Amino acid sequence: MNWKFWLTAAEPRPRYVLMVAIGVVLMMSLTYPVWAPGGAPMAAFSAIMAVIIAHVSAKLIMKP
């Protein structure tokens, strides 16, 4: 497994950042009914998971 591929940002970076930002907003809005009643700890966990999912999705979409 190529860890460097998964742990670095994709190129071009502005497009990657935009895709990750859109992915995080989308995931946080879709999972609002789950994390809203859970309070701050659940919101933080959901945000971390949303960033990871958005990063992986962006990397797979932008894979050469």
Side-chain angles (χ1 to χ4, degrees), residues 18-38:
L18 180 64
M19 290 179 74
V20 170
I22 291 171
V24 169
V25 169
L26 182 66
M27 289 300 299
M28 290 302 286
S29 63
L30 288 175
T31 60
Y32 179 78
V34 174
W35 62 260

Side-chain angles (χ1 to χ4, degrees), residues 39-64:
M42 192 63 170
F45 177 74
S46 297
I48 292 168
M49 290 293 108
V51 169
I52 292 170
I53 292 169
H55 167 72
V56 170
S57 299
K59 289 291 279 195
L60 291 176
I61 290 169
M62 295 179 68
K63 189 174 180 178

